[in-house]
Amino acid sequence: MPQLNPAPWFMIFMFTWAIFLTILPPKVMAHTFPNEPSPQGMTTPKTAPWNWPWH
Amino acid sequence: MTLSLFDQFSSPSFLGIPMILMALALPWLLIPTPTSRWLSNRVVSLQGWFIARFTNQLFLPLNVGGHKWAPLLASLMMFLLTLNMLGLMPYIFTPTTQLSLNLGLAVPLWLATVLIGMRNQPTHALGHFLPEGTPTTLIPILIIIETISLFIRPLALGVRLTANLTAGHLLIHLISSAVFVLMPMMPAVAILTAVLLLLLTMLEVAVAMIQAYVFILLLSLYLQENV
């Protein structure tokens, strides 16, 4: 199995961590979300049904 | 004959430059970085939704002390998911078939969880070596078994991902060679084999996603024990 050849192992290890630590977290952390997490309210709002005629 | 089937996994090299550097550096062009725009496009919105929901679900069972691992595990999920899924396309090298990469990710992260546990709450961390309610006679053997199972975790983590992806790619290669060879001789059998190949490819898509998820999930479980 060529994966068991240890020659490129260190290079692959270093490069993986280099990519994983430098490129990915900025991409992931750049996502921003508009709402703060809020606890669920005790009462669920009641929506009144409406009877608009759909033409 | 069998050796040539495994040749697809040898770390490719062109003019002395290892191509795995390309395979590791280029996929992130497909994941756009969100800008500071108020409204982003569909791709960025979907990615953000996925990352947020996934991280939320993953960290529900963890104590607050473990939540600082959220960026790391979210990045790792994107990393593994992208590499696994891209590798399913023809002629694209899957870096996660390399044992070096998977062990290189698994061992340091597992070791980090163990060291965090040993440093912050050593009694609690060592308590995992003896489950509650063990009969007294079994205590020595069970401590040995638990120690072995602790040390086998990083190996299992790395080898699981490697083996699953390698086996999948190998099967795809085998069955597609069979279709190709059978086409002139027995077209009906070739068509049936092609249907099998289609089903296998769908399975491999699922496996790619599931194996990435399992890697992260197990790391979060190891963290849960120790944080």
Side-chain angles (χ1 to χ4, degrees):
Chain A
M1 264 178 69
Q3 292 107 313
L4 297 175
N5 169 22
W9 275 38
F10 186 67
M11 183 263 303
I12 293 179
F13 168 68
M14 295 307 286
F15 200 70
T16 309
W17 276 97
I19 297 277
F20 175 56
L21 290 177
T22 53
I23 297 187
L24 277 162
K27 279 194 184 285
V28 167
M29 299 297 288
H31 285 281
T32 53
F33 304 99
N35 303 316
E36 287 294 322
S38 55
Q40 265 183 326
M42 292 296 291
T43 57
T44 50
K46 285 194 180 57
T47 49
W50 79 94
N51 52 358
W52 291 0
W54 300 103
H55 295 292
Chain B
M1 169 63 193
T2 324
L3 201 57
S4 73
L5 285 172
F6 274 103
D7 282 351
Q8 58 178 302
F9 302 117
S10 59
S11 195
S13 183
F14 182 67
L15 297 179
I17 308 170
M19 285 284 107
I20 196 169
L21 304 186
M22 296 289 114
L24 283 171
L26 292 177
W28 322 116
L29 294 172
L30 293 170
I31 302 183
T33 314
T35 54
S36 49
R37 288 177 78 126
W38 196 253
L39 284 177
S40 41
N41 59 14
R42 283 177 290 206
V43 180
V44 171
S45 306
L46 279 175
Q47 273 173 23
W49 176 85
F50 171 71
I51 292 175
R53 296 296 304 142
F54 172 77
T55 315
N56 181 27
Q57 288 297 311
L58 190 69
F59 281 86
L60 277 178
L62 256 84
N63 293 332
V64 185
H67 289 188
K68 57 181 80 137
W69 279 60
L72 189 78
L73 290 185
S75 311
L76 188 59
M77 181 63 180
M78 296 306 290
F79 187 76
L80 292 177
L81 195 60
T82 312
L83 291 178
N84 286 356
M85 296 290 284
L86 275 179
L88 284 169
M89 283 196 279
Y91 287 106
I92 295 191
F93 183 72
T94 320
T96 37
T97 52
Q98 300 299 304
L99 193 60
S100 47
L101 197 150
N102 296 331
L103 281 179
L105 287 172
V107 172
L109 291 171
W110 162 83
L111 193 61
T113 62
V114 169
L115 291 177
I116 286 174
M118 288 292 178
R119 188 176 180 272
N120 296 340
Q121 31 179 33
T123 318
H124 179 87
L126 285 171
H128 283 298
F129 286 125
L130 191 63
E132 266 183 57
T134 326
T136 324
T137 35
L138 285 178
I139 290 179
I141 305 174
L142 209 55
I143 294 188
I144 297 175
I145 292 177
E146 292 287 330
T147 313
I148 296 175
S149 86
L150 176 75
F151 283 100
I152 234 173
R153 278 177 179 178
L155 277 176
L157 213 51
V159 173
R160 180 186 299 112
L161 188 55
T162 312
N164 267 290
L165 263 71
T166 307
H169 281 77
L170 208 57
L171 268 175
I172 290 179
H173 190 156
L174 269 167
I175 296 184
S176 53
S177 315
V179 173
F180 197 63
V181 164
L182 283 172
M183 205 45 108
M185 296 192 290
M186 296 185 270
V189 179
I191 290 172
L192 282 174
T193 318
V195 170
L196 181 65
L197 182 63
L198 185 68
L199 295 174
L200 180 68
T201 310
M202 293 196 298
L203 176 71
E204 285 308 315
V205 171
V207 165
M209 295 192 280
I210 290 171
Q211 286 304 321
Y213 174 59
V214 161
F215 196 96
I216 311 287
L217 185 68
L218 284 170
L219 272 174
S220 78
L221 284 172
Y222 302 156
L223 185 62
Q224 209 177 318
E225 284 186 355
N226 286 307
V227 82

